[in-house]
Amino acid sequence: MSLTSDVWWKNAVFYCLDVETFQDSNGDGVGDFRGLSQRIDHLAGLGVTCIWLMPFYPSPNHDDGYDITDYYSIDPRLGSMGDFVEFVRTAADRGIRVIADLVVNHTSNQHPWFQAACSDRDSRYRDWYVWRDTIPDHGPTDLVFPDAENSNWEWHEPTGQYYLHRFYSHQPDLNISNPRVREEIRKITGFWLQIGLSGFRVDAVPFLLETKGIASPMALDPHEWLADLRGFITRRQGDAVLLGEVNLPYEDVRRFYGDGADELNMCLDFNMNQALALSLVRQDAGPMVHCLRSMPSLHRDDAWAHFARNHDEWSLDKLTEAERQDVFKAFGPKEEMQLFGRGLRRRIPTMLEGDQARIRMLYSLVFALPGAPVLFYGEEIGMAENLDIPGRMSVRAPMQWSDDASAGFSTAPPDKLRRPVVSAKGWGPGTINVAHQDQEDGSLLNWMQRLIRRRRETPEIAFGQCSFIPVPEARILGLRYDWGGRTVLLLHNLGDARCKTSCQIDGTDGWAGLSPIAGRGKYALGDKGTLSVDLPAYGTLWLRAGSGGATAITGG
């Protein structure tokens, strides 16, 4: 099955982490690459196949490293280039690939390029950024951070012009129409591929390709440039992946894949994530069914990346105002839990009030969607947010390894840590940590290990044709995957009550019954293709056709 290994990302399990909050090796309160290397076996045991690193480059850290001052180095707080290489090598030894954030829509205003651009209008780096004498009428008007900025343009008094910044004013946008900027981005990707990365998660792709506000026209279509970058990366490393952050409606997201698998390989599926939120609140699979029906088809080498929670706020911008308020009421009723009026700054376990059955159903459901699953660090143990940390950073507290005061993250005292550990009663490291859960067979950590193993053993999800199981109850989402003569049936009860139902399954001739893959519940397949299921509240069933008996009860 060379196809499956050539396009490894389709059946991968991604794990996003922030080096500075994962593991501190030297007691300075900041996580580092040596600490990360020491925790590789945790990730290998979990079953992770690709680590996604949040920014680790030198930065003044006004935006958690997304404001970069040097694209070719390691922030000295996190270690040396040698430490990075050792980490990549250690990960590879455990069969884990590594990708990293590619943040090239903007730089820090302290980057030498911008400092040179600010020196005078004749600087060779002046045109590396977007400058205008007056704010143009055709420029962008929507604000990414309306709480902090009131314009996308910042006045620079010494040179008497405005510069464009789609994010914070300390993050000036690079001028993508400048061929020297585009060439520099190629050099950046080539450099890190040579060092050992297996690809990139491309930050803010729509903003990167946006040309609104740029005075000079771009010599080629921005999507042609993205295809050119993809071609360059593929020539340098044939199996490198480009995973894009594209939070747009499906019809617009599809454009970023290209016409023939020639732009992004994957996109994070924000549309499905928001439909998932609404389905959870309503205990109704309808929003997800509608989303799945709307999902555009992709080239066979491309894939979606699905997640329950990511490193930013839980964005709900695709929902209607009424739908969004429903989610706010259920999962974040207090104003301090919300952000920008469009999202939530909480993690999944607290939003679901610690209900283990519901939490496990949610992750099983994410892993059952057509695409590759993405975990955010700490999800495997049910970590909570720390609302005392401002803004989006509330979900980026130190990883909870043990029950000591600094969560086993560092030997430094709690008041010296990069960020404070979770302190809410029942959610801190004294209650929730890797060490305790590793010893408990029924823990979320050990359940997540089994889920990942089952997902990796079910490539039908990654490579097969997805269709719906015609279950009549709205609370049940039933998905079927067919691939290479193999079939799996995946059923999830989004409701808080037991559900017994039956439906007709086509194409069961030749099946030798059904065998369980994962989940709990009762099922039976009749001679004429009638599938009967009995699922407990928030119950799940993963079944494979072709072997085993006709009736079974499976456990957790």
Side-chain angles (χ1 to χ4, degrees):
M1 295 194 177
S2 61
L3 170 65
T4 61
S5 59
D6 289 345
V7 288
W8 58 268
W9 52 85
K10 289 177 68 73
N11 201 40
V13 176
F14 293 87
Y15 187 98
C16 173
L17 64 87
D18 193 348
V19 176
E20 67 177 1
T21 55
F22 201 66
Q23 180 66 64
D24 170 22
S25 71
N26 59 8
D28 65 355
V30 178
D32 47 51
F33 278 106
R34 287 189 178 183
L36 176 54
S37 294
Q38 293 166 5
R39 294 296 188 180
I40 283 292
D41 285 329
H42 166 75
L43 299 178
L46 186 60
V48 169
T49 61
C50 184
I51 296 171
W52 155 16
L53 297 175
M54 292 168 65
F56 51 79
Y57 317 96
S59 166
N61 269 298
H62 296 314
D63 186 22
D64 201 25
Y66 285 88
D67 48 330
I68 295 168
T69 57
D70 182 358
Y71 288 99
Y72 298 97
S73 188
I74 305 293
D75 189 318
R77 299 175 310 122
L78 309 182
S80 66
M81 185 66 77
D83 295 330
F84 176 85
V85 171
E86 282 297 303
F87 153 68
V88 173
R89 179 199 171 279
T90 304
D93 179 66
R94 308 303 197 273
I96 301 174
R97 292 177 168 89
V98 180
I99 65 173
D101 267 321
L102 179 66
V103 187
V104 289
N105 172 73
H106 53 264
T107 69
S108 166
N109 61 1
Q110 297 181 35
H111 195 292
W113 300 340
F114 190 69
Q115 292 293 302
C118 288
S119 62
D120 64 71
R121 291 197 184 192
D122 295 325
S123 166
R124 65 184 293 261
Y125 287 101
R126 185 72 175 183
D127 194 41
W128 282 48
Y129 297 87
V130 181
W131 299 90
R132 300 301 294 268
D133 292 329
T134 59
I135 297 176
D137 293 335
H138 70 282
T141 56
D142 56 310
L143 298 175
V144 176
F145 300 122
D147 65 323
E149 304 291 343
N150 55 25
S151 173
N152 288 302
W153 299 89
E154 184 76 5
W155 178 252
H156 184 247
E157 183 66 34
T159 55
Q161 283 187 311
Y162 292 92
Y163 65 83
L164 177 66
H165 61 90
R166 290 298 267 124
F167 292 85
Y168 294 110
S169 59
H170 59 75
Q171 295 170 321
D173 274 27
L174 286 165
N175 180 7
I176 197 66
S177 72
N178 185 335
R180 289 188 298 162
V181 170
R182 300 196 297 269
E183 180 60 29
E184 190 70 27
I185 293 172
R186 293 177 74 174
K187 287 173 60 179
I188 292 166
T189 59
F191 175 82
W192 289 106
L193 290 174
Q194 193 69 31
I195 296 296
L197 289 186
S198 293
F200 305 91
R201 177 267 190 183
V202 189
D203 185 61
V205 186
F207 297 109
L208 173 61
L209 268 59
E210 184 180 69
T211 57
K212 289 181 179 179
I214 298 176
S216 55
M218 193 163 169
L220 73 165
D221 182 274
H223 283 275
E224 292 180 13
W225 170 72
L226 183 58
D228 180 72
L229 179 64
R230 163 78 179 273
F232 169 79
I233 289 172
T234 301
R235 289 192 299 275
R236 287 293 179 92
Q237 185 170 311
D239 66 348
V241 68
L242 285 180
L243 166 61
E245 180 193 26
V246 186
N247 185 9
L248 294 172
Y250 269 141
E251 61 268 22
D252 296 319
V253 177
R254 180 63 184 81
R255 294 184 58 213
F256 289 84
Y257 283 97
D259 294 328
D262 58 355
E263 293 185 39
L264 298 175
N265 304 91
M266 307 182 75
C267 286
L268 291 157
D269 196 344
F270 290 90
N271 290 278
M272 181 60 70
N273 183 251
Q274 297 183 42
L276 172 65
L278 192 58
S279 282
L280 284 174
V281 168
R282 294 182 173 176
Q283 299 188 27
D284 183 347
M288 296 188 70
V289 170
H290 175 75
C291 196
L292 283 160
R293 293 190 189 280
S294 303
M295 184 182 287
S297 60
L298 304 177
H299 186 278
R300 69 172 188 169
D301 291 349
D302 294 337
W304 298 100
H306 295 294
F307 57 98
R309 195 62 178 85
N310 65 1
H311 62 290
D312 286 330
E313 75 273 13
W314 196 9
S315 179
L316 304 169
D317 62 314
K318 300 292 180 295
L319 303 182
T320 67
E321 182 60 29
E323 291 169 341
R324 187 159 46 248
Q325 291 304 321
D326 284 348
V327 178
F328 281 167
K329 182 179 179 181
F331 294 155
K334 298 180 180 179
E335 188 174 341
E336 66 174 359
M337 299 173 177
Q338 303 168 15
L339 198 62
F340 310 138
R342 69 180 185 225
L344 291 164
R345 39 191 305 263
R346 308 186 75 195
R347 279 183 177 247
I348 295 296
T350 50
M351 288 191 286
L352 299 186
E353 299 179 336
D355 186 329
Q356 280 292 307
R358 202 176 186 193
I359 291 168
R360 297 180 190 202
M361 182 277 295
L362 169 59
Y363 284 101
S364 174
L365 182 53
V366 170
F367 275 60
L369 292 171
V374 181
L375 290 172
F376 184 48
Y377 77 92
E379 286 190 288
E380 70 271 32
I381 57 171
M383 260 184 67
E385 73 283 350
N386 185 345
L387 293 176
D388 292 334
I389 304 174
R392 299 175 300 159
M393 308 303 170
S394 60
V395 300
R396 306 182 196 177
M399 179 66 178
Q400 295 171 194
W401 296 104
S402 71
D403 61 2
D404 69 30
S406 293
F409 160 73
S410 175
T411 57
D415 63 342
K416 300 298 182 183
L417 302 185
R418 170 69 176 104
R419 292 199 189 97
V421 298
V422 173
S423 57
K425 184 178 180 181
W427 295 104
T431 306
I432 296 174
N433 64 73
V434 171
H436 287 174
Q437 292 195 23
D438 189 49
Q439 300 301 314
E440 299 172 2
D441 289 341
S443 68
L444 181 62
L445 173 61
N446 281 304
W447 178 87
M448 193 72 78
Q449 290 173 344
R450 293 193 296 273
L451 175 65
I452 291 174
R453 184 164 64 249
R454 296 295 179 258
R455 173 61 182 78
R456 291 282 293 167
E457 293 169 352
T458 314
E460 294 92 341
I461 301 173
F463 299 100
Q465 179 66 40
C466 180
S467 60
F468 292 106
I469 301 171
V471 182
E473 277 70 22
R475 77 188 87 166
I476 304 290
L477 179 64
L479 298 177
R480 170 177 174 164
Y481 293 91
D482 294 279
W483 178 62
R486 300 162 60 174
T487 299
V488 294
L489 309 177
L490 313 178
L491 299 108
H492 294 80
N493 180 6
L494 280 70
D496 59 4
R498 175 184 176 187
C499 183
K500 295 178 67 175
T501 188
S502 62
C503 60
Q504 197 68 26
I505 304 293
D506 295 332
T508 60
D509 293 343
W511 286 9
L514 295 169
S515 58
I517 301 172
R520 58 193 181 95
K522 300 178 182 179
Y523 64 90
L525 181 65
D527 293 338
K528 297 182 179 180
T530 300
L531 175 66
S532 300
V533 295
D534 182 356
L535 294 178
Y538 307 126
T540 68
L541 269 179
W542 288 26
L543 305 168
R544 175 170 280 115
S547 63
T551 306
I553 301 175
T554 63

